[in-house]
Amino acid sequence: MDQLKAKAKEIPETNNKVAEVFDLVRKVEPVLSTLPEVVERMTALKSLHEQASQFASNLTTLESTQNNVTKNLATQGALLKKVEDNISENLKQILENCSNVNERVNKLLSAKPSKNTKK
């Protein structure tokens, strides 16, 4: 008897669930005819989405590489400026040294008695 009472209680619950599923099927039924087309379009677009994803990844890599190149160019420019400054300073020093050597040579030449006066 208890089993019958339990089954009797389950029947309305089951009926409610069946009714809910039936209502849901009725709502979805108009869309069911377009479902194969939607699946087909999604399949066709899959490769496009994969290509777009790959493009985005490549673009990110390219931007990163471009940033690195820009930073390296700035660093190289600063180093080049230092080299140019050093070369300029070295050239000044070389010219000054040459001038000093010329002065010393001229002093030595002027201080040395000439051979014609000894005779």
Side-chain angles (χ1 to χ4, degrees):
M1 184 80 145
D2 289 333
Q3 289 177 351
L4 287 175
K5 285 182 183 180
K7 287 195 179 203
K9 287 181 182 178
E10 289 177 11
I11 291 174
E13 288 177 17
T14 305
N15 286 339
N16 288 339
K17 288 180 183 178
V18 168
E20 285 177 27
V21 170
F22 185 71
D23 287 340
L24 183 62
V25 168
R26 250 195 249 164
K27 290 177 184 176
V28 174
E29 193 172 15
V31 178
L32 289 177
S33 63
T34 62
L35 192 59
E37 293 172 11
V38 171
V39 170
E40 185 178 323
R41 286 187 76 191
M42 290 178 73
T43 303
L45 291 174
K46 178 183 176 190
S47 66
L48 180 63
H49 287 286
E50 289 172 353
Q51 289 174 356
S53 175
Q54 184 64 36
F55 177 78
S57 174
N58 290 343
L59 185 60
T60 301
T61 302
L62 182 62
E63 287 173 342
S64 174
T65 302
Q66 183 180 14
N67 288 338
N68 288 338
V69 167
T70 301
K71 288 177 186 176
N72 287 339
L73 281 174
T75 302
Q76 295 298 324
L79 291 174
L80 179 61
K81 176 72 173 128
K82 285 181 181 180
V83 167
E84 288 173 343
D85 292 344
N86 287 340
I87 287 174
S88 178
E89 289 176 22
N90 288 343
L91 182 60
K92 287 178 186 176
Q93 188 64 47
I94 288 170
L95 291 174
E96 185 180 323
N97 289 346
C98 286
S99 177
N100 288 341
V101 168
N102 282 337
E103 285 178 22
R104 291 171 81 187
V105 167
N106 287 338
K107 282 183 184 178
L108 287 174
L109 289 176
S110 65
K112 186 177 180 184
S114 95
K115 290 183 181 181
N116 293 341
T117 57
K118 285 187 177 179
K119 289 185 180 180

